[in-house]
Amino acid sequence: MSEKTAHCPDCGATYEPYDGDTHAYLGASPECWAAFNTVLAREFEDIGYFSVHRLTVDAYTVQHPGDQTDRRAAQSVNIHLTSLYLILEEDRSLSYAAKSLGVLANAFKDKFKPLAPPDPDAYKYTVKDICAAADAAEHQRIVRLWAEDVFQAWTPHHGTAKAYAQLREQQ
Ligand SMILES: [Zn+2]
């Protein structure tokens, strides 16, 4: 009750305590979920912010793997990590990566394996840094850094992402 700081269990960000909703299977605290929704609202209002929407969703989702024994959580991390791989490693377009999410989810439903997440200390950026961006250009720049940071922290699973990227080609 007297706690002044709330920690997000998955990304490690600290917030002022807020009693709100959270996501069904992403491992976000209510405070962190609210911060993410603030960022999404900004992206939906302004095309300059929206231009990196794919990276925003992928970075946030991979950074909040939740309980990986939940089939939905395992699928979510696998496909969003693959999306980051396609964009950051293969230089694919954001729209190609976006389409890949649905293709992979349909093709490999129930086959995704849980992925062990990194320690939250591994992250240099969280959605809190995105909230602090002063304008669309800064938003785009920091979202890119955030996505690269999250992708690096998940290095042990890059092979899995690469395998799904190749399987996606065959669909
Ligand atoms: Zn968080």
Side-chain angles (χ1 to χ4, degrees):
M1 292 280 280
S2 61
E3 274 289 311
K4 290 202 178 86
T5 308
H7 289 259
C8 178
D10 279 15
C11 73
T14 56
Y15 297 93
E16 292 214 358
Y18 166 76
D19 186 18
D21 292 335
T22 187
H23 188 268
Y25 55 82
L26 295 182
S29 71
E31 299 82 6
C32 194
W33 183 241
F36 179 56
N37 279 284
T38 300
V39 167
L40 288 186
R42 215 178 273 170
E43 289 190 342
F44 285 122
E45 276 166 18
D46 186 322
I47 189 73
Y49 284 80
F50 189 78
S51 62
V52 289
H53 178 66
R54 176 77 271 126
L55 287 173
T56 300
V57 174
D58 290 339
Y60 192 81
T61 304
V62 172
Q63 207 172 29
H64 295 85
D67 173 6
Q68 284 289 291
T69 63
D70 183 323
R71 187 200 67 78
R72 299 168 301 173
Q75 170 174 302
S76 169
V77 168
N78 275 277
I79 66 176
H80 288 282
L81 186 65
T82 302
S83 178
L84 287 178
Y85 178 88
L86 289 167
I87 298 162
L88 301 175
E89 290 288 308
E90 292 197 347
D91 211 19
R92 298 282 190 166
S93 69
L94 303 192
S95 61
Y96 177 88
K99 274 191 218 111
S100 301
L101 296 172
V103 170
L104 289 170
N106 285 331
F108 301 104
K109 207 175 165 96
D110 300 327
K111 295 199 181 81
F112 295 104
K113 296 205 170 66
L115 299 181
D119 189 292
D121 287 347
Y123 299 124
K124 293 194 207 70
Y125 294 89
T126 69
V127 73
K128 261 181 92 171
D129 300 297
I130 314 306
C131 285
D135 55 32
E138 194 181 356
H139 175 82
Q140 291 168 16
R141 187 177 65 78
I142 301 178
V143 166
R144 185 91 192 180
L145 292 172
W146 179 35
E148 286 169 355
D149 179 42
V150 170
F151 188 66
Q152 279 312 307
W154 283 75
T155 294
H157 301 300
H158 285 187
T160 300
K162 183 178 183 178
Y164 278 119
Q166 287 168 348
L167 288 165
R168 186 260 181 269
E169 283 284 302
Q170 298 160 15
Q171 300 303 310

